Amino acid sequence: MELIDTHCHLTFDDLAGDIDGVLDRSRAAGVTKWITVGTDPHDNRKAIEFAEKYEGMYAAVGIHPHDAKTVTDAMLGELKELAQHRKVVAIGETGLDYHYNLSLHEDQRRVFAEHLRIAAESKLPVIIHCRKAFEETLQVLDEYSRDVEKVVFHCFGGSAQQAKIVLDRGYYISFTGVVTFKNAEKKRAAAKIVPLDRLMLETDCPYMSPEPVRKQRPNEPALLIHIARCLAELRDMDLADFAQAVTATSKAFFQIL
Ligand SMILES: [Zn+2]
Ligand SMILES: [Zn+2]
C-alpha cells in the first residue's frame, strides 16, 4: 500500500528535529510521499531544502493568510521565483482565515488574489486554507482563478452541501484527522459524497492527530493511515483499494510520479 500525505509541515520544529525518525515511521506505515507546505518566506526556503534532500518529498510555497499583513512585493517576487523549482508542486497554503483574524480581511484577500495570479502564471495547483470564510473564498476564486488549473480545499470542515458547491466548480477536497473525531458527523457526511477522483488525504501535522491516537503529540505522517482507514470504512471499501484510488488522485493533482 502506498499513501501520500498531501499537506504536512515537516519543517516545523516538532518534526524537523526528528525528521529521519518521522520519515522512517511514515514509510513503515505505507505513507511514502509527502508534500511539505510552506507558510512564510523562511519556511518556504526550508521546505524546498527538505524536498531537495529527501526522496519522495515535494514542496508547496505560499504565505499563510495569518501572515497576510506582512506580505510585500519583494516577498511575492520571491514566491514567483521559488515556484519554478523542480520540486515545488503547488502554491499555498493561501486563502482566508476569518476565525483567528490575525490579518485584516482586506490584506488576506489581496494576498490570496496574488497567490492565484502566481499559480496561474506558474501553471501550478493551489492549496486553499479556508476557515469561517466559505462565501468570501469563493468570491475571490470567482474573480481571480480563471487561469488556475487546479484547486484543493485543504482541511475541509464544511458540510456536504458546501462540498457539493466546491465539487461543482471542479475543485478537489482534502481531509485531515479532524474527520475522524467523534463529533465530526457533519464532516464525515461531506467526505462521503466526494468522488475518489477528487479526494485527497493529509495530516496537516504537527497539528491535530486523528482518532484513535488523538492525544499523540506531535501528529506525524505515519498517522495518515488512521484517516485513510476511517474514510475507507465510511464507504465500505477495502483499505487497499481506497488507498490506491486516493493516491492516484493525489499524484495526478500534484503531477508527481
Ligand atoms: Zn491550513
Ligand atoms: Zn497547513
Side-chain angles (χ1 to χ4, degrees), residues 126-194:
V126 181
I127 300 172
I128 308 276
H129 171 107
C130 167
R131 190 130 186 231
K132 296 242 175 92
F134 188 67
E135 293 302 329
E136 296 85 345
T137 298
L138 294 179
Q139 278 163 17
V140 176
L141 283 164
D142 278 341
E143 209 169 328
Y144 297 98
S145 74
R146 208 185 49 228
D147 298 321
V148 176
E149 280 177 38
K150 285 175 284 189
V151 172
V152 61
F153 273 60
H154 110 90
C155 193
F156 192 74
S159 63
Q161 198 187 351
Q162 288 175 326
K164 193 176 175 310
I165 292 168
V166 169
L167 293 167
D168 284 346
R169 288 164 164 253
Y171 304 154
Y172 291 64
I173 293 180
S174 84
F175 291 95
T176 61
V178 171
V179 78
T180 68
F181 293 175
K182 290 193 177 68
N183 61 359
E185 284 305 334
K186 190 185 85 177
K187 295 178 183 93
R188 280 189 287 279
K192 222 168 165 172
I193 68 148
V194 182

Side-chain angles (χ1 to χ4, degrees), residues 31-105:
V31 183
T32 54
K33 290 189 168 67
W34 313 269
I35 294 162
T36 192
V37 177
T39 55
D40 65 40
H42 172 76
D43 191 40
N44 288 329
R45 284 176 227 127
K46 197 165 169 185
I48 291 176
E49 217 175 274
F50 270 37
E52 280 174 342
K53 189 165 169 193
Y54 300 104
E55 210 201 313
M57 198 182 298
Y58 301 84
V61 292
I63 295 159
H64 199 283
H66 290 339
D67 290 336
K69 59 177 176 286
T70 68
V71 173
T72 61
D73 285 347
M75 279 158 74
L76 294 167
E78 188 192 22
L79 210 54
K80 221 162 119 180
E81 243 167 70
L82 296 179
Q84 303 300 317
H85 190 282
R86 70 187 169 86
K87 285 209 111 177
V88 171
V89 295
I91 298 298
E93 52 188 295
T94 182
L96 303 175
D97 193 315
Y98 290 3
H99 177 68
Y100 287 107
N101 287 318
L102 297 185
S103 285
L104 291 176
H105 293 182

